[in-house]
Amino acid sequence: MKLSTGFWQTYKEVPADAEIASHQLMIRTGLIHKAGSGLYNYLPMGLRSIRKVENIIREELDKIGCFEITMSVVTPGELWQETGRWDKMGGLMLRFKDKKDADLCISPTNEEAVTDIFRKTIKSYKQLPVTLYQINTKFRDEIRPRFGLMRGREFTMKDAYSFHLDKASLDVGYQALYDAYTAIFTRLGLEFIPVEADGGAMASSDSKTHEFQVVANSGEDLIIYSAEAKYAANIEKAQTKRAPTTYDMNVVPMKEVETVKTETIEAVCALLGQTAAQSLKSMVYTATTGNESKMILAMMIGDDSVNEIKLQNFLKCDHLAASSEDELKKAKLWKGYIGPFGLEGQLEIIFDNAVNLDASYTIGANKKDAHVMGFNPKRDMKKIIQADLRLSKAGDLTLDGKHTVVEKRGIEVGHVFQLGDKYTKDMKVGVLDQNGKLVTPLMGCYGIGVTRVVAAAIEQNHDANGIIWPKSIAPYDVYFATIVKAEEFAKIADEIYADMKKAGIDVVYDDRNVGPGNKFKDADLLGLPYRVVLGERDFGASGELEIIERKTGTVTKVKRDELISTLKNLLK
Amino acid sequence: MKLSTGFWQTYKEVPADAEIASHQLMIRTGLIHKAGSGLYNYLPMGLRSIRKVENIIREELDKIGCFEITMSVVTPGELWQETGRWDKMGGLMLRFKDKKDADLCISPTNEEAVTDIFRKTIKSYKQLPVTLYQINTKFRDEIRPRFGLMRGREFTMKDAYSFHLDKASLDVGYQALYDAYTAIFTRLGLEFIPVEADGGAMASSDSKTHEFQVVANSGEDLIIYSAEAKYAANIEKAQTKRAPTTYDMNVVPMKEVETVKTETIEAVCALLGQTAAQSLKSMVYTATTGNESKMILAMMIGDDSVNEIKLQNFLKCDHLAASSEDELKKAKLWKGYIGPFGLEGQLEIIFDNAVNLDASYTIGANKKDAHVMGFNPKRDMKKIIQADLRLSKAGDLTLDGKHTVVEKRGIEVGHVFQLGDKYTKDMKVGVLDQNGKLVTPLMGCYGIGVTRVVAAAIEQNHDANGIIWPKSIAPYDVYFATIVKAEEFAKIADEIYADMKKAGIDVVYDDRNVGPGNKFKDADLLGLPYRVVLGERDFGASGELEIIERKTGTVTKVKRDELISTLKNLLK
């Protein structure tokens, strides 16, 4: 693209709503344009990157025999009703009615649609396994769209769905996709970690789930990680042990203490001169299944937190949420002063496994401005239920106790998930097996946030001057900036541009009538892998052009006839 | 693709709602799958064709320097309100509200969105002209979606928009797009006609508009065409002359005749033994502008019809529709018996230019079961307004009177249109010209119905056995069917398949364990340009394979080592 006639513009201003670097840089470099809240137009430069990401995904999936399809963006409500998700999907799914009053939605995901295609096409085990994928527009009506393409409402996603006769085949298919994802994110030039994740309450115990996380400080996800142990898991899924803890093993009578306006563990510990491990945190949740609700009291060591997914899995409830202030008031519970003693019978009380039942703890006194010291679970509770409820954290040990884990922040860019028979069962899909018996096929699903990948790549690869694109997804390979005035040199520059294009080098030709400072600033901001500079004076004197690597600043000087071979080598 | 493990299925049944060949064939060959009313999923075979169409479009537009972008499918209502189209777009635009009660719609077209991008990017004449395009999903909530991809609700469209400093530049840009469209549809292998079309009431008189029509009997559009005169126009836009007509020049007194239950021109002519040119047809319309409505009586020669676009352009009204039976009753007009005599003052009466004002005609008597013979416009009307109102038809003459036109049916697959300053004015877009003066740029818009092109190609290219794909957009080039059982021949077939793939030939390999009859039937149905057959007996005896051209049935026998070069020649 010749910039003098190209459709491209950089901006100095950072929009007020752009909180993270990738969002700011994508707007400033004219990659995207905001169409509305959480809605973006992809401008030529941005679209080129997106297409490169799409093509890498496509190549790797085609390599393992997946079939590309495109499902309608608008899908009929009927289909979602078959699995009950029309009612369960919640507010992220944008529903509306058409002219004939029929229910429609903009697909936030496509399990139902793909299962409908499958059941109309595949009848026999001979046609299995099969994996279908699409790269298409999705819409999720986020309450607070933010971070540009990172959490927009409309976005491009690659979603794949595999169908299998049995779990062994599903495992093989799952591994193939897992490996393809590894190949994809490697080719994309990203630092990523595949982490174990939780499949949710509906997943069977042997169902596998991984997220592919791009490591970045601005990431919204927390990863529990140990390089030595080769362990990585989403914080909600992580299985770790609390590091050795010094409990208070003095068994003394319970004693009420005055704790005026002391509603947090930190404040209580400070007031009483205790460590967090000497007190228990009381967390109240409302668990709902169908129309039934009950309140749950989760008891945690003072500096631990509840892993709500673990709690929900333990309770096997449909829905779990921290009880609201209204609910607490109705149950006559004093926020900040709740404790297990005296609540038996009124609430279901569950102690975390890390709680030493023989130790003494400070707990809430269930009245305002008071706590109880010396609570000993074994002595003071009639019945004790204990379960693994705690959220892993940095400093924990791996399950074998050998390694200490750290926390990393990540951006989820991919997701592989064994769905099992949830959708095929609800949608009554049958396939004949080798013995002529009708069986319910199993499914896997596999997503990549295409537009999010581009944002994550920038989040991970930028500096104060702008983007530093991974080679494989840079909008162009080379930024060719010329500092020439004489007709003669302009003609040479045009020729060199034509030569590069002819050699298959994707090149932006900055032939604008602006100063070198502006050109170099724009080049750094856009951050293509290499900048090539033709300076009239230098080229006139030495016949050399400069190649500057964006990432390292390394300068290579080359004669005109070495330019293309040098670039080709660098771009390999 | 190997069919034994491929995701492809043909069907014998034609779905009840598939009325036209392309719809039936696309379903029967597993190109598409119905997701809901007017909603289709594109299966692997269908998607391959769509992608080939997209790539040809992309190549030709990139060649003339257009820039590809992608605009959000969901667009905010605010943008449409700027041009007033939020209220004017009518029922085709599917509107809804998001969680925050903000107005949104699924884009049926993108003039506002692209103008918003333009005004935020382009400030100076130096950056003009520029053409932006996208290939993206659109949605129009058709009342009666039909004909599969031909008139679906969700579809893929290429929409381009050009911006210019002045009309001269717009004309140049328009011609460039017109030429690119000609190149595109030629490469797509379609028989098409660019026809003059009407730009609607908002278009200025010097605004150009053409439709690209694929000629097909099932087409919904009528084209007035003369090959000799190189004339082609959409019937609504067509400018032709009525062929020489014998009028009844006997001036006689008016006479009422009884015409019981004789409400059509045909019936009146038959009863009275007259030709259609001896009677006048009275057509009543309701014209609306703002909140004002009035009734119009259009007087046409008996066998002519009203061109409603011409009438609307003449009246300069916002909206025009044939008056309803209720409206007629209220105005005390007898349907089938209406005539101009006696209605002066009550209705605005306009005679078509083809009406010979000196001739005698039969007209309705404005009472039930009666007509009036011998009506002479000049004698019997106080005042006469005459205008060009008639719809062209086969048998008309070109304006120079030298050629007779015919009617052809067409499928509109493309559209080029000079928008002028409608959107840039409403959206307050300004660009600095050479003199530093702020001017309102002019726009052109250019659409191609990508998914409709695929349907139109099939509509134009099929026979009783199935599709006959144009080479450039066939899902694959070759259908390789093998009739082998012995291990030895299966191995050779696998090798030949691998050789073809390696040579860059897109090939479907029918290695399924089914009989030759089934394979050949499926091959014909799918209609790839060439079928290659490896028969165990023939190949064993002569070492030859058969290449059968789908379009002509021509059989070529080749040795294995000539296969690829022969195919490459054929596919050129």
Side-chain angles (χ1 to χ4, degrees), chain A residues 373-444:
Chain A
M373 294 176 76
F375 169 74
N376 177 279
K378 232 178 216 164
R379 181 192 64 195
D380 301 327
M381 299 294 290
K382 291 191 192 104
K383 188 185 125 194
I384 288 183
I385 301 171
Q386 222 172 355
D388 175 21
L389 302 182
R390 73 186 281 278
L391 200 62
S392 294
K393 63 186 176 192
D396 280 4
L397 301 181
T398 51
L399 284 188
D400 61 9
K402 290 186 184 161
H403 303 281
T404 302
V405 302
V406 296
E407 284 178 9
K408 280 181 180 261
R409 294 220 148 256
I411 300 164
E412 185 193 335
V413 288
H415 190 188
V416 291
F417 184 17
Q418 295 189 340
L419 294 172
D421 64 3
K422 153 81 187 136
Y423 297 94
T424 42
K425 214 158 85 182
D426 285 352
M427 295 179 70
K428 301 184 181 59
V429 185
V431 165
L432 291 175
D433 73 2
Q434 294 89 332
N435 309 312
K437 213 185 99 197
L438 212 57
V439 298
T440 304
L442 302 178
M443 283 174 74

Side-chain angles (χ1 to χ4, degrees), chain A residues 42 70 73 98 153-154, chain B residues 42 70 73 98-99 153-154:
Chain A
Y42 311 141
T70 301
V73 173
D98 68 10
R153 295 201 288 176
E154 183 174 318
Chain B
Y42 312 141
T70 302
V73 174
D98 68 9
K99 208 174 268 174
R153 296 199 290 174
E154 183 174 321

Side-chain angles (χ1 to χ4, degrees), chain B residues 339-567:
Chain B
F341 188 69
L343 293 184
E344 277 182 292
Q346 185 187 337
L347 295 182
E348 185 173 335
I349 304 171
I350 308 165
F351 287 81
D352 177 54
N353 278 343
V355 176
N356 184 335
L357 302 176
D358 296 309
S360 289
Y361 300 98
T362 297
I363 57 172
N366 291 317
K367 60 182 183 185
K368 197 162 187 289
D369 295 339
H371 279 77
V372 169
M373 295 176 74
F375 168 75
N376 178 278
K378 233 178 215 165
R379 180 192 65 194
D380 301 326
M381 299 293 290
K382 289 190 195 105
K383 191 184 122 195
I384 287 183
I385 302 172
Q386 220 171 356
D388 175 21
L389 302 183
R390 71 187 283 279
L391 199 63
S392 293
K393 62 185 178 193
D396 279 4
L397 301 181
T398 51
L399 284 187
D400 61 8
K402 289 187 184 158
H403 303 283
T404 302
V405 303
V406 296
E407 283 178 11
K408 281 182 180 261
R409 293 218 149 257
I411 300 164
E412 186 192 335
V413 287
H415 190 187
V416 291
F417 185 18
Q418 295 190 340
L419 294 171
D421 64 1
K422 152 85 187 132
Y423 297 94
T424 43
K425 216 157 84 182
D426 285 353
M427 295 179 71
K428 300 181 183 60
V429 185
V431 167
L432 291 175
D433 74 4
Q434 295 89 331
N435 309 313
K437 214 186 97 199
L438 211 57
V439 299
T440 305
L442 303 178
M443 285 175 73
C445 79
Y446 317 90
I448 293 181
V450 174
T451 37
R452 183 184 280 187
V453 157
V454 176
I458 295 174
E459 205 55 45
Q460 197 178 63
N461 299 282
H462 69 272
D463 62 15
N465 297 322
I467 303 171
I468 305 170
W469 284 103
K471 286 177 197 174
S472 58
I473 59 170
Y476 289 86
D477 302 322
V478 168
Y479 194 104
F480 179 39
T482 56
I483 317 166
V484 295
K485 277 195 178 139
E487 193 70 33
E488 166 202 354
F489 286 101
K491 207 176 142 256
I492 292 172
D494 284 352
E495 285 169 12
I496 292 175
Y497 170 59
D499 288 347
M500 283 195 270
K501 284 222 300 186
K502 211 172 145 192
I505 293 167
D506 271 352
V507 53
V508 170
Y509 177 18
D510 192 350
D511 61 337
R512 293 174 301 174
N513 187 21
V514 298
N518 277 327
K519 292 191 179 186
F520 296 165
K521 214 174 253 180
D522 275 354
D524 278 349
L525 190 63
L526 180 59
L528 303 181
Y530 296 97
R531 183 170 92 210
V532 170
V533 180
L534 173 73
E536 189 169 310
R537 215 169 39 190
D538 288 354
F539 187 79
S542 65
E544 283 179 334
L545 297 101
E546 272 186 352
I547 303 175
I548 298 105
E549 188 178 31
R550 172 66 178 90
K551 194 171 181 175
T552 58
T554 312
V555 178
T556 313
K557 297 200 177 217
V558 292
K559 299 274 183 202
R560 179 177 168 180
D561 59 3
E562 305 157 344
L563 176 66
I564 285 168
S565 59
T566 310
L567 283 174

Side-chain angles (χ1 to χ4, degrees), chain B residues 45-114:
Chain B
M45 286 279 185
L47 185 58
R48 288 181 70 97
S49 274
I50 293 169
R51 290 264 190 267
K52 288 189 179 183
V53 173
E54 290 177 357
N55 283 337
I56 287 173
I57 294 173
R58 199 171 270 132
E59 282 172 21
E60 293 299 325
L61 294 188
D62 290 352
K63 218 182 263 180
I64 60 167
C66 303
F67 295 99
E68 187 174 2
I69 61 173
T70 302
M71 290 176 267
S72 62
V73 174
V74 173
T75 51
E78 291 169 357
L79 220 45
W80 299 85
Q81 267 139 12
E82 282 192 58
T83 60
R85 289 213 294 179
W86 185 255
D87 300 316
K88 278 188 198 155
M89 278 298 286
L92 284 182
M93 184 154 94
L94 194 60
R95 299 162 178 82
F96 45 89
K97 289 194 181 269
D98 68 9
K99 208 174 268 174
K100 291 184 180 160
D101 216 36
D103 283 323
L104 294 174
C105 73
I106 313 190
S107 307
T109 177
N110 284 68
E111 283 81 2
E112 284 82 355
V114 79

Side-chain angles (χ1 to χ4, degrees), chain B residues 3-45:
Chain B
L3 288 189
S4 62
T5 53
F7 187 78
W8 186 57
Q9 199 68 31
T10 59
Y11 301 87
K12 279 191 188 144
E13 305 74 30
V14 173
D17 67 341
E19 302 167 44
I20 61 171
S22 60
H23 186 187
Q24 293 168 356
L25 286 168
M26 291 187 88
I27 296 282
R28 286 193 57 204
T29 54
L31 300 181
I32 59 173
H33 166 261
K34 186 174 180 176
S37 170
L39 303 172
Y40 290 89
N41 300 316
Y42 312 141
L43 301 186
M45 286 279 185

Side-chain angles (χ1 to χ4, degrees), chain A residues 40 74 89 107 134 139 145 179 188 242 279 298 352 393 528:
Chain A
Y40 290 90
V74 173
M89 279 297 286
S107 307
Q134 68 169 348
F139 193 94
D179 294 343
L188 291 173
R242 193 179 155 93
S279 66
D352 178 55
K393 63 186 176 192
L528 303 181

Side-chain angles (χ1 to χ4, degrees), chain A residues 1-2 4-9 11 33-37 39-45 47 51 58 67-76 78-79 91-92 94-100 102 104 106 113 116-118 120-122 126-127 129-130 132-133 135-137 139 141-145 153-154, chain B residues 1-2 4-9 11 33-37 39-45 47 51 58 67-76 78-79 91-92 94-100 102 104 106 113 116-118 120-122 126-127 129-130 132-133 135-137 139 141-145 153-154:
Chain A
M1 178 167 69
K2 256 187 170 179
S4 62
T5 53
F7 186 78
W8 186 57
Q9 200 67 32
Y11 301 88
H33 166 262
K34 186 174 179 176
S37 170
L39 302 173
Y40 290 90
N41 301 316
Y42 311 141
L43 301 186
M45 286 278 183
L47 185 59
R51 291 264 190 267
R58 200 170 270 133
F67 295 99
E68 187 175 1
I69 61 172
T70 301
M71 290 177 267
S72 62
V73 173
V74 173
T75 51
E78 290 170 358
L79 221 45
L92 285 182
L94 193 60
R95 300 162 177 82
F96 45 88
K97 292 198 179 263
D98 68 10
K99 206 174 270 172
K100 291 184 180 159
L104 293 174
I106 313 189
D116 186 45
I117 292 174
F118 177 86
K120 288 193 185 142
T121 312
I122 301 289
K126 290 181 197 162
Q127 297 161 288
V130 67
L132 304 174
Y133 75 96
I135 298 177
N136 207 353
T137 303
F139 193 94
D141 198 9
E142 298 275 353
I143 302 175
R144 201 166 74 85
R153 295 201 288 176
E154 183 174 318
Chain B
M1 179 168 70
K2 255 187 170 178
S4 62
T5 53
F7 187 78
W8 186 57
Q9 199 68 31
Y11 301 87
H33 166 261
K34 186 174 180 176
S37 170
L39 303 172
Y40 290 89
N41 300 316
Y42 312 141
L43 301 186
M45 286 279 185
L47 185 58
R51 290 264 190 267
R58 199 171 270 132
F67 295 99
E68 187 174 2
I69 61 173
T70 302
M71 290 176 267
S72 62
V73 174
V74 173
T75 51
E78 291 169 357
L79 220 45
L92 284 182
L94 194 60
R95 299 162 178 82
F96 45 89
K97 289 194 181 269
D98 68 9
K99 208 174 268 174
K100 291 184 180 160
L104 294 174
I106 313 190
D116 186 45
I117 292 174
F118 177 86
K120 287 190 186 143
T121 313
I122 301 288
K126 289 181 199 161
Q127 298 162 287
V130 66
L132 303 175
Y133 77 95
I135 298 176
N136 207 352
T137 303
F139 193 94
D141 197 9
E142 297 275 353
I143 302 175
R144 201 165 75 85
R153 296 199 290 174
E154 183 174 321

